[in-house]
Amino acid sequence: MIIVSSWLDQLGIAMGLWHYHWEVIPFMPANFPWNFSLLPVTVMFLHQYKSGIHPLFKALLFGGFSAFLAEPISQMADLYHPVHWKHTYSFPIYVGLYLLASSIAKKGIDCGKSFQEDSNP
């Protein structure tokens, strides 16, 4: 999540689609708090909470929250400035990011199961 969202964010900045006015943390990119904490933690929380809910529903919830609530709030707080970008463009990207992260997490290794197998002879 961190790698893909950071790469896409840097791509958007390089293409002039949006920009950030100031850095939240000195000597760090302005998108650092968003891409390295808020997005991954939200995705992890949604993935673990109510695991029986279909991932597409959670992806739509994540996409809607991120695109239509978090982005406008950061824009009002003067952190994020879209130039040639609309929040509706972000929605399918956030949905896709969630679905990608969810599918990777489901295919991950169950560390607890592996540990139990190794410790029981």
Side-chain angles (χ1 to χ4, degrees):
M1 186 69 182
I2 292 170
I3 293 169
V4 175
S5 64
S6 295
W7 181 79
L8 289 172
D9 204 11
Q10 290 300 89
L11 183 65
I13 292 167
M15 294 177 66
L17 300 176
W18 59 81
H19 60 87
Y20 300 94
H21 271 294
W22 54 282
E23 298 172 352
V24 178
I25 301 170
F27 308 111
M28 293 291 217
N31 58 0
F32 183 83
W34 180 259
N35 292 334
F36 283 74
S37 60
L38 189 59
L39 287 178
V41 169
T42 305
V43 168
M44 287 187 291
F45 174 77
L46 286 173
H47 181 72
Q48 292 179 359
Y49 184 73
K50 300 276 187 182
S51 59
I53 296 175
H54 197 278
L56 183 58
F57 176 76
K58 290 183 178 184
L60 293 171
L61 178 69
F62 174 71
F65 173 80
S66 299
F68 302 118
L69 188 67
E71 280 187 11
I73 288 172
S74 64
Q75 188 177 356
M76 284 187 282
D78 205 31
L79 299 173
Y80 159 76
H81 297 278
V83 179
H84 302 290
W85 195 258
K86 295 181 182 177
H87 302 302
T88 54
Y89 301 160
S90 298
F91 178 74
I93 294 170
Y94 286 126
V95 170
L97 282 172
Y98 181 86
L99 291 173
L100 176 66
S102 178
S103 68
I104 291 171
K106 284 184 181 181
K107 292 179 184 179
I109 298 169
D110 184 358
C111 297
K113 185 177 179 182
S114 298
F115 179 73
Q116 290 172 356
E117 290 174 356
D118 292 342
S119 61
N120 292 329

